[in-house]
Amino acid sequence: MKKNDLLFAGAAVAAALALFLLGKIFLFPQEGGVVSVYRGKELLFSCPLTEERREEIVSPDGGKNVLVIQNGEAYIEDADCPDKLCMRQGRIAKAGETLVCLPHRLSVTIEGGEGSAARGAGTDKNT
Amino acid sequence: MGRLLKKPAYMGLLLTFSLILSYVETLLPMPFALPGMKLGLGNLAVLLTLYLAGGREAFLLNLLRILLSGFLFGSLYGILYSMAGAALSFLAMLAAKGTGRFGVAGVSMAGGVFHNVGQLLAAALIVRTKGLFWYLPPLLLSGVVTGFLIGAAGRETLRALSGLFRRLP
């Protein structure tokens, strides 16, 4: 193992840490508020995390995901895609956290509450 | 040794090797939930080809490997993401090897990291949400770890092969 190999590994780890802190401090600082569901860049619906809700989301190609919002957390309860990665991503509650289902082009994002700047920026980017 | 391996028979051997690795990878349980996180065993064959034959051969092997293993073990979506990851990863490995300043592990780590960056970029093009940003740090870290493991395996394999091929006609 050459010295440059170690330097590269160090640089990549440092970049990962820097990006993580950058995201925590500048990009998504607030606690969660609103769950937004997107297909591609189109907003399907959004609702507050405090709501108790069970939503069946059907894609145009027939694919199906069941989103559950409960106890201030959102998760995918069921999906009919083969890999079920969206279900394995677990529960999300903090602003910026996202569940994605690539086969159905679906993403569920927690956006900052109280009409914050982050929420405005988020919706701008997605329109 | 480099020229010897440009023969089609050896290329076929390496391609078969890469497909076996891809198959073995589908058997491995992955405890990590993030999409796109995987060991990347198939890249071992690409790495070996890069060192044993050259850039053009490695590129060809990479392309065929993704198409074949994608249709055999994966899905059309999987091929799309693999292509995006592999394109960036291959360029990174070629560049890292070209500088001559990195060992096999370094070249492989560059491949691992940029494979994950490429896949994330492809995902970002399809699901346009900035939440995907959170995947970047863990994917960078996993690229370093898997790249190192594949690189270490590659270095030892190359060492063993160099002895073997010296004895061939």
mmCIF file of all heavy atoms in Angstrom, chain B residues 83-128:
data_model
loop_
_atom_site.group_PDB
_atom_site.id
_atom_site.type_symbol
_atom_site.label_atom_id
_atom_site.label_comp_id
_atom_site.label_asym_id
_atom_site.label_seq_id
_atom_site.Cartn_x
_atom_site.Cartn_y
_atom_site.Cartn_z
ATOM 1 N N MET B 83 -24.176 1.262 -14.985
ATOM 2 C CA MET B 83 -23.483 1.951 -16.079
ATOM 3 C C MET B 83 -22.956 3.294 -15.606
ATOM 4 O O MET B 83 -21.804 3.644 -15.845
ATOM 5 C CB MET B 83 -24.457 2.191 -17.242
ATOM 6 C CG MET B 83 -24.706 0.973 -18.074
ATOM 7 S SD MET B 83 -23.343 0.706 -19.196
ATOM 8 C CE MET B 83 -23.942 -0.709 -20.101
ATOM 9 N N ALA B 84 -23.829 4.052 -14.937
ATOM 10 C CA ALA B 84 -23.426 5.374 -14.471
ATOM 11 C C ALA B 84 -22.274 5.255 -13.483
ATOM 12 O O ALA B 84 -21.289 5.994 -13.563
ATOM 13 C CB ALA B 84 -24.604 6.087 -13.814
ATOM 14 N N GLY B 85 -22.408 4.286 -12.561
ATOM 15 C CA GLY B 85 -21.351 4.091 -11.575
ATOM 16 C C GLY B 85 -20.067 3.637 -12.230
ATOM 17 O O GLY B 85 -18.984 4.162 -11.961
ATOM 18 N N ALA B 86 -20.189 2.654 -13.134
ATOM 19 C CA ALA B 86 -19.006 2.067 -13.745
ATOM 20 C C ALA B 86 -18.271 3.065 -14.634
ATOM 21 O O ALA B 86 -17.044 3.064 -14.688
ATOM 22 C CB ALA B 86 -19.389 0.833 -14.553
ATOM 23 N N ALA B 87 -19.013 3.930 -15.317
ATOM 24 C CA ALA B 87 -18.372 4.903 -16.205
ATOM 25 C C ALA B 87 -17.446 5.810 -15.402
ATOM 26 O O ALA B 87 -16.263 5.976 -15.730
ATOM 27 C CB ALA B 87 -19.436 5.732 -16.934
ATOM 28 N N LEU B 88 -17.976 6.374 -14.327
ATOM 29 C CA LEU B 88 -17.181 7.286 -13.504
ATOM 30 C C LEU B 88 -16.055 6.531 -12.805
ATOM 31 O O LEU B 88 -14.918 7.000 -12.728
ATOM 32 C CB LEU B 88 -18.096 7.958 -12.474
ATOM 33 C CG LEU B 88 -17.724 9.377 -12.089
ATOM 34 C CD1 LEU B 88 -17.645 10.258 -13.315
ATOM 35 C CD2 LEU B 88 -18.747 9.942 -11.111
ATOM 36 N N SER B 89 -16.400 5.345 -12.309
ATOM 37 C CA SER B 89 -15.427 4.526 -11.598
ATOM 38 C C SER B 89 -14.256 4.162 -12.508
ATOM 39 O O SER B 89 -13.090 4.252 -12.123
ATOM 40 C CB SER B 89 -16.117 3.258 -11.098
ATOM 41 O OG SER B 89 -15.186 2.246 -10.839
ATOM 42 N N PHE B 90 -14.578 3.791 -13.749
ATOM 43 C CA PHE B 90 -13.523 3.372 -14.669
ATOM 44 C C PHE B 90 -12.593 4.536 -15.005
ATOM 45 O O PHE B 90 -11.369 4.392 -15.008
ATOM 46 C CB PHE B 90 -14.147 2.797 -15.947
ATOM 47 C CG PHE B 90 -13.124 2.229 -16.876
ATOM 48 C CD1 PHE B 90 -12.507 1.030 -16.573
ATOM 49 C CD2 PHE B 90 -12.762 2.902 -18.033
ATOM 50 C CE1 PHE B 90 -11.545 0.502 -17.415
ATOM 51 C CE2 PHE B 90 -11.798 2.373 -18.875
ATOM 52 C CZ PHE B 90 -11.192 1.178 -18.565
ATOM 53 N N LEU B 91 -13.195 5.706 -15.268
ATOM 54 C CA LEU B 91 -12.377 6.886 -15.552
ATOM 55 C C LEU B 91 -11.456 7.201 -14.372
ATOM 56 O O LEU B 91 -10.282 7.526 -14.551
ATOM 57 C CB LEU B 91 -13.275 8.090 -15.854
ATOM 58 C CG LEU B 91 -13.970 8.065 -17.208
ATOM 59 C CD1 LEU B 91 -14.890 9.268 -17.365
ATOM 60 C CD2 LEU B 91 -12.934 8.049 -18.338
ATOM 61 N N ALA B 92 -12.005 7.081 -13.159
ATOM 62 C CA ALA B 92 -11.214 7.377 -11.961
ATOM 63 C C ALA B 92 -10.055 6.395 -11.825
ATOM 64 O O ALA B 92 -8.924 6.799 -11.523
ATOM 65 C CB ALA B 92 -12.105 7.338 -10.720
ATOM 66 N N MET B 93 -10.326 5.119 -12.085
ATOM 67 C CA MET B 93 -9.270 4.112 -11.950
ATOM 68 C C MET B 93 -8.193 4.308 -13.020
ATOM 69 O O MET B 93 -7.003 4.203 -12.746
ATOM 70 C CB MET B 93 -9.861 2.704 -12.048
ATOM 71 C CG MET B 93 -10.690 2.326 -10.840
ATOM 72 S SD MET B 93 -10.933 0.556 -10.656
ATOM 73 C CE MET B 93 -11.953 0.195 -12.047
ATOM 74 N N LEU B 94 -8.657 4.632 -14.240
ATOM 75 C CA LEU B 94 -7.718 4.859 -15.335
ATOM 76 C C LEU B 94 -6.809 6.047 -15.008
ATOM 77 O O LEU B 94 -5.584 5.991 -15.179
ATOM 78 C CB LEU B 94 -8.511 5.143 -16.615
ATOM 79 C CG LEU B 94 -7.890 4.742 -17.948
ATOM 80 C CD1 LEU B 94 -7.592 3.255 -17.959
ATOM 81 C CD2 LEU B 94 -8.819 5.111 -19.098
ATOM 82 N N ALA B 95 -7.430 7.118 -14.498
ATOM 83 C CA ALA B 95 -6.668 8.323 -14.151
ATOM 84 C C ALA B 95 -5.704 8.035 -13.004
ATOM 85 O O ALA B 95 -4.534 8.416 -13.054
ATOM 86 C CB ALA B 95 -7.623 9.449 -13.773
ATOM 87 N N ALA B 96 -6.201 7.324 -11.983
ATOM 88 C CA ALA B 96 -5.365 7.043 -10.810
ATOM 89 C C ALA B 96 -4.174 6.167 -11.205
ATOM 90 O O ALA B 96 -3.045 6.404 -10.772
ATOM 91 C CB ALA B 96 -6.193 6.357 -9.724
ATOM 92 N N LYS B 97 -4.421 5.170 -12.064
ATOM 93 C CA LYS B 97 -3.327 4.298 -12.497
ATOM 94 C C LYS B 97 -2.369 5.071 -13.403
ATOM 95 O O LYS B 97 -1.162 4.904 -13.336
ATOM 96 C CB LYS B 97 -3.886 3.084 -13.230
ATOM 97 C CG LYS B 97 -2.816 2.078 -13.625
ATOM 98 C CD LYS B 97 -3.421 0.791 -14.132
ATOM 99 C CE LYS B 97 -2.339 -0.207 -14.515
ATOM 100 N NZ LYS B 97 -1.672 0.144 -15.785
ATOM 101 N N GLY B 98 -2.947 5.966 -14.244
ATOM 102 C CA GLY B 98 -2.140 6.747 -15.173
ATOM 103 C C GLY B 98 -1.115 7.628 -14.490
ATOM 104 O O GLY B 98 -0.028 7.836 -15.020
ATOM 105 N N THR B 99 -1.464 8.160 -13.322
ATOM 106 C CA THR B 99 -0.515 9.024 -12.619
ATOM 107 C C THR B 99 0.691 8.232 -12.136
ATOM 108 O O THR B 99 1.756 8.803 -11.920
ATOM 109 C CB THR B 99 -1.159 9.686 -11.384
ATOM 110 O OG1 THR B 99 -1.525 8.659 -10.468
ATOM 111 C CG2 THR B 99 -2.374 10.508 -11.745
ATOM 112 N N GLY B 100 0.504 6.910 -11.930
ATOM 113 C CA GLY B 100 1.606 6.092 -11.457
ATOM 114 C C GLY B 100 1.955 6.331 -9.998
ATOM 115 O O GLY B 100 2.959 5.835 -9.499
ATOM 116 N N ARG B 101 1.128 7.097 -9.311
ATOM 117 C CA ARG B 101 1.445 7.421 -7.922
ATOM 118 C C ARG B 101 0.642 6.591 -6.925
ATOM 119 O O ARG B 101 0.800 6.747 -5.728
ATOM 120 C CB ARG B 101 1.158 8.899 -7.657
ATOM 121 C CG ARG B 101 2.091 9.801 -8.436
ATOM 122 C CD ARG B 101 1.776 11.230 -8.177
ATOM 123 N NE ARG B 101 2.683 12.078 -8.940
ATOM 124 C CZ ARG B 101 2.753 13.385 -8.787
ATOM 125 N NH1 ARG B 101 1.986 13.985 -7.917
ATOM 126 N NH2 ARG B 101 3.609 14.086 -9.504
ATOM 127 N N PHE B 102 -0.262 5.758 -7.453
ATOM 128 C CA PHE B 102 -1.096 4.970 -6.544
ATOM 129 C C PHE B 102 -0.803 3.485 -6.699
ATOM 130 O O PHE B 102 -0.450 3.024 -7.778
ATOM 131 C CB PHE B 102 -2.580 5.204 -6.851
ATOM 132 C CG PHE B 102 -3.039 6.599 -6.539
ATOM 133 C CD1 PHE B 102 -3.150 7.543 -7.544
ATOM 134 C CD2 PHE B 102 -3.338 6.965 -5.232
ATOM 135 C CE1 PHE B 102 -3.564 8.837 -7.249
ATOM 136 C CE2 PHE B 102 -3.754 8.250 -4.937
ATOM 137 C CZ PHE B 102 -3.863 9.189 -5.941
ATOM 138 N N GLY B 103 -0.958 2.757 -5.590
ATOM 139 C CA GLY B 103 -0.852 1.310 -5.635
ATOM 140 C C GLY B 103 -2.173 0.712 -6.099
ATOM 141 O O GLY B 103 -3.124 1.448 -6.378
ATOM 142 N N VAL B 104 -2.241 -0.622 -6.159
ATOM 143 C CA VAL B 104 -3.474 -1.285 -6.587
ATOM 144 C C VAL B 104 -4.631 -0.884 -5.666
ATOM 145 O O VAL B 104 -5.750 -0.627 -6.118
ATOM 146 C CB VAL B 104 -3.298 -2.816 -6.584
ATOM 147 C CG1 VAL B 104 -4.557 -3.496 -7.086
ATOM 148 C CG2 VAL B 104 -2.121 -3.205 -7.462
ATOM 149 N N ALA B 105 -4.349 -0.802 -4.369
ATOM 150 C CA ALA B 105 -5.410 -0.459 -3.411
ATOM 151 C C ALA B 105 -5.930 0.954 -3.666
ATOM 152 O O ALA B 105 -7.135 1.196 -3.629
ATOM 153 C CB ALA B 105 -4.887 -0.582 -1.983
ATOM 154 N N GLY B 106 -5.024 1.880 -3.960
ATOM 155 C CA GLY B 106 -5.437 3.256 -4.219
ATOM 156 C C GLY B 106 -6.292 3.359 -5.471
ATOM 157 O O GLY B 106 -7.321 4.036 -5.485
ATOM 158 N N VAL B 107 -5.865 2.666 -6.530
ATOM 159 C CA VAL B 107 -6.637 2.668 -7.779
ATOM 160 C C VAL B 107 -8.027 2.097 -7.523
ATOM 161 O O VAL B 107 -9.048 2.649 -7.961
ATOM 162 C CB VAL B 107 -5.896 1.843 -8.861
ATOM 163 C CG1 VAL B 107 -6.781 1.621 -10.075
ATOM 164 C CG2 VAL B 107 -4.610 2.557 -9.264
ATOM 165 N N SER B 108 -8.067 0.999 -6.759
ATOM 166 C CA SER B 108 -9.345 0.355 -6.476
ATOM 167 C C SER B 108 -10.239 1.240 -5.602
ATOM 168 O O SER B 108 -11.456 1.299 -5.804
ATOM 169 C CB SER B 108 -9.094 -0.989 -5.790
ATOM 170 O OG SER B 108 -10.286 -1.544 -5.344
ATOM 171 N N MET B 109 -9.642 1.943 -4.642
ATOM 172 C CA MET B 109 -10.437 2.831 -3.786
ATOM 173 C C MET B 109 -11.013 3.989 -4.598
ATOM 174 O O MET B 109 -12.170 4.383 -4.406
ATOM 175 C CB MET B 109 -9.593 3.370 -2.634
ATOM 176 C CG MET B 109 -9.428 2.369 -1.511
ATOM 177 S SD MET B 109 -8.712 3.100 -0.026
ATOM 178 C CE MET B 109 -7.021 3.322 -0.523
ATOM 179 N N ALA B 110 -10.204 4.526 -5.522
ATOM 180 C CA ALA B 110 -10.723 5.588 -6.401
ATOM 181 C C ALA B 110 -11.922 5.056 -7.173
ATOM 182 O O ALA B 110 -12.950 5.730 -7.310
ATOM 183 C CB ALA B 110 -9.627 6.051 -7.360
ATOM 184 N N GLY B 111 -11.804 3.812 -7.651
ATOM 185 C CA GLY B 111 -12.915 3.196 -8.372
ATOM 186 C C GLY B 111 -14.147 3.047 -7.493
ATOM 187 O O GLY B 111 -15.255 3.369 -7.903
ATOM 188 N N GLY B 112 -13.949 2.579 -6.265
ATOM 189 C CA GLY B 112 -15.069 2.359 -5.352
ATOM 190 C C GLY B 112 -15.786 3.653 -5.016
ATOM 191 O O GLY B 112 -17.019 3.729 -5.083
ATOM 192 N N VAL B 113 -15.014 4.677 -4.681
ATOM 193 C CA VAL B 113 -15.612 5.957 -4.300
ATOM 194 C C VAL B 113 -16.379 6.556 -5.476
ATOM 195 O O VAL B 113 -17.544 6.960 -5.343
ATOM 196 C CB VAL B 113 -14.523 6.940 -3.823
ATOM 197 C CG1 VAL B 113 -15.084 8.350 -3.703
ATOM 198 C CG2 VAL B 113 -13.958 6.488 -2.486
ATOM 199 N N PHE B 114 -15.748 6.573 -6.662
ATOM 200 C CA PHE B 114 -16.398 7.239 -7.786
ATOM 201 C C PHE B 114 -17.537 6.402 -8.377
ATOM 202 O O PHE B 114 -18.439 6.943 -9.003
ATOM 203 C CB PHE B 114 -15.370 7.640 -8.850
ATOM 204 C CG PHE B 114 -14.651 8.885 -8.457
ATOM 205 C CD1 PHE B 114 -13.424 8.826 -7.828
ATOM 206 C CD2 PHE B 114 -15.240 10.128 -8.665
ATOM 207 C CE1 PHE B 114 -12.779 9.977 -7.415
ATOM 208 C CE2 PHE B 114 -14.604 11.287 -8.258
ATOM 209 C CZ PHE B 114 -13.373 11.216 -7.636
ATOM 210 N N HIS B 115 -17.492 5.090 -8.152
ATOM 211 C CA HIS B 115 -18.634 4.275 -8.554
ATOM 212 C C HIS B 115 -19.879 4.737 -7.794
ATOM 213 O O HIS B 115 -20.952 4.945 -8.366
ATOM 214 C CB HIS B 115 -18.362 2.801 -8.252
ATOM 215 C CG HIS B 115 -19.505 1.902 -8.623
ATOM 216 N ND1 HIS B 115 -20.535 1.643 -7.765
ATOM 217 C CD2 HIS B 115 -19.791 1.248 -9.767
ATOM 218 C CE1 HIS B 115 -21.399 0.851 -8.362
ATOM 219 N NE2 HIS B 115 -20.968 0.587 -9.582
ATOM 220 N N ASN B 116 -19.713 4.927 -6.490
ATOM 221 C CA ASN B 116 -20.851 5.334 -5.671
ATOM 222 C C ASN B 116 -21.309 6.745 -6.002
ATOM 223 O O ASN B 116 -22.506 7.036 -6.009
ATOM 224 C CB ASN B 116 -20.489 5.218 -4.196
ATOM 225 C CG ASN B 116 -20.378 3.779 -3.766
ATOM 226 O OD1 ASN B 116 -20.732 2.876 -4.520
ATOM 227 N ND2 ASN B 116 -19.888 3.559 -2.565
ATOM 228 N N VAL B 117 -20.347 7.636 -6.295
ATOM 229 C CA VAL B 117 -20.704 9.002 -6.682
ATOM 230 C C VAL B 117 -21.514 8.971 -7.985
ATOM 231 O O VAL B 117 -22.554 9.630 -8.108
ATOM 232 C CB VAL B 117 -19.440 9.875 -6.851
ATOM 233 C CG1 VAL B 117 -19.795 11.220 -7.467
ATOM 234 C CG2 VAL B 117 -18.774 10.094 -5.499
ATOM 235 N N GLY B 118 -21.061 8.156 -8.934
ATOM 236 C CA GLY B 118 -21.754 8.056 -10.222
ATOM 237 C C GLY B 118 -23.169 7.533 -10.073
ATOM 238 O O GLY B 118 -24.112 8.056 -10.679
ATOM 239 N N GLN B 119 -23.324 6.500 -9.230
ATOM 240 C CA GLN B 119 -24.659 5.941 -9.016
ATOM 241 C C GLN B 119 -25.584 6.959 -8.374
ATOM 242 O O GLN B 119 -26.754 7.066 -8.727
ATOM 243 C CB GLN B 119 -24.559 4.708 -8.114
ATOM 244 C CG GLN B 119 -24.286 3.452 -8.898
ATOM 245 C CD GLN B 119 -24.659 2.232 -8.112
ATOM 246 O OE1 GLN B 119 -24.600 2.219 -6.893
ATOM 247 N NE2 GLN B 119 -25.035 1.185 -8.806
ATOM 248 N N LEU B 120 -25.040 7.723 -7.438
ATOM 249 C CA LEU B 120 -25.860 8.717 -6.756
ATOM 250 C C LEU B 120 -26.272 9.821 -7.728
ATOM 251 O O LEU B 120 -27.405 10.303 -7.693
ATOM 252 C CB LEU B 120 -25.091 9.305 -5.569
ATOM 253 C CG LEU B 120 -25.968 10.060 -4.587
ATOM 254 C CD1 LEU B 120 -26.929 9.114 -3.897
ATOM 255 C CD2 LEU B 120 -25.140 10.803 -3.565
ATOM 256 N N LEU B 121 -25.352 10.205 -8.622
ATOM 257 C CA LEU B 121 -25.684 11.219 -9.625
ATOM 258 C C LEU B 121 -26.821 10.726 -10.514
ATOM 259 O O LEU B 121 -27.756 11.468 -10.812
ATOM 260 C CB LEU B 121 -24.454 11.556 -10.476
ATOM 261 C CG LEU B 121 -23.394 12.435 -9.811
ATOM 262 C CD1 LEU B 121 -22.209 12.637 -10.744
ATOM 263 C CD2 LEU B 121 -23.987 13.777 -9.417
ATOM 264 N N ALA B 122 -26.736 9.447 -10.917
ATOM 265 C CA ALA B 122 -27.801 8.888 -11.757
ATOM 266 C C ALA B 122 -29.124 8.880 -10.999
ATOM 267 O O ALA B 122 -30.171 9.234 -11.546
ATOM 268 C CB ALA B 122 -27.433 7.469 -12.189
ATOM 269 N N ALA B 123 -29.071 8.505 -9.727
ATOM 270 C CA ALA B 123 -30.290 8.492 -8.916
ATOM 271 C C ALA B 123 -30.842 9.906 -8.770
ATOM 272 O O ALA B 123 -32.047 10.126 -8.820
ATOM 273 C CB ALA B 123 -29.999 7.903 -7.539
ATOM 274 N N ALA B 124 -29.932 10.886 -8.624
ATOM 275 C CA ALA B 124 -30.369 12.274 -8.450
ATOM 276 C C ALA B 124 -31.058 12.793 -9.710
ATOM 277 O O ALA B 124 -31.966 13.619 -9.643
ATOM 278 C CB ALA B 124 -29.176 13.157 -8.105
ATOM 279 N N LEU B 125 -30.635 12.277 -10.878
ATOM 280 C CA LEU B 125 -31.278 12.695 -12.122
ATOM 281 C C LEU B 125 -32.694 12.138 -12.208
ATOM 282 O O LEU B 125 -33.571 12.747 -12.807
ATOM 283 C CB LEU B 125 -30.466 12.205 -13.333
ATOM 284 C CG LEU B 125 -29.204 12.990 -13.651
ATOM 285 C CD1 LEU B 125 -28.492 12.365 -14.837
ATOM 286 C CD2 LEU B 125 -29.545 14.445 -13.934
ATOM 287 N N ILE B 126 -32.921 10.981 -11.613
ATOM 288 C CA ILE B 126 -34.225 10.331 -11.744
ATOM 289 C C ILE B 126 -35.183 10.774 -10.649
ATOM 290 O O ILE B 126 -36.283 11.216 -10.922
ATOM 291 C CB ILE B 126 -34.045 8.801 -11.774
ATOM 292 C CG1 ILE B 126 -33.330 8.433 -13.074
ATOM 293 C CG2 ILE B 126 -35.398 8.108 -11.702
ATOM 294 C CD1 ILE B 126 -32.915 7.016 -13.174
ATOM 295 N N VAL B 127 -34.766 10.646 -9.390
ATOM 296 C CA VAL B 127 -35.614 11.204 -8.322
ATOM 297 C C VAL B 127 -34.977 12.514 -7.871
ATOM 298 O O VAL B 127 -33.987 12.527 -7.175
ATOM 299 C CB VAL B 127 -35.759 10.255 -7.106
ATOM 300 C CG1 VAL B 127 -36.719 9.153 -7.406
ATOM 301 C CG2 VAL B 127 -34.438 9.690 -6.691
ATOM 302 N N ARG B 128 -35.560 13.612 -8.291
ATOM 303 C CA ARG B 128 -34.934 14.903 -7.995
ATOM 304 C C ARG B 128 -35.330 15.376 -6.607
ATOM 305 O O ARG B 128 -36.286 16.102 -6.435
ATOM 306 C CB ARG B 128 -35.375 15.936 -9.021
ATOM 307 C CG ARG B 128 -34.750 15.669 -10.367
ATOM 308 C CD ARG B 128 -35.352 16.574 -11.393
ATOM 309 N NE ARG B 128 -34.786 16.286 -12.684
ATOM 310 C CZ ARG B 128 -33.697 16.874 -13.142
ATOM 311 N NH1 ARG B 128 -33.094 17.776 -12.439
ATOM 312 N NH2 ARG B 128 -33.225 16.552 -14.328
#
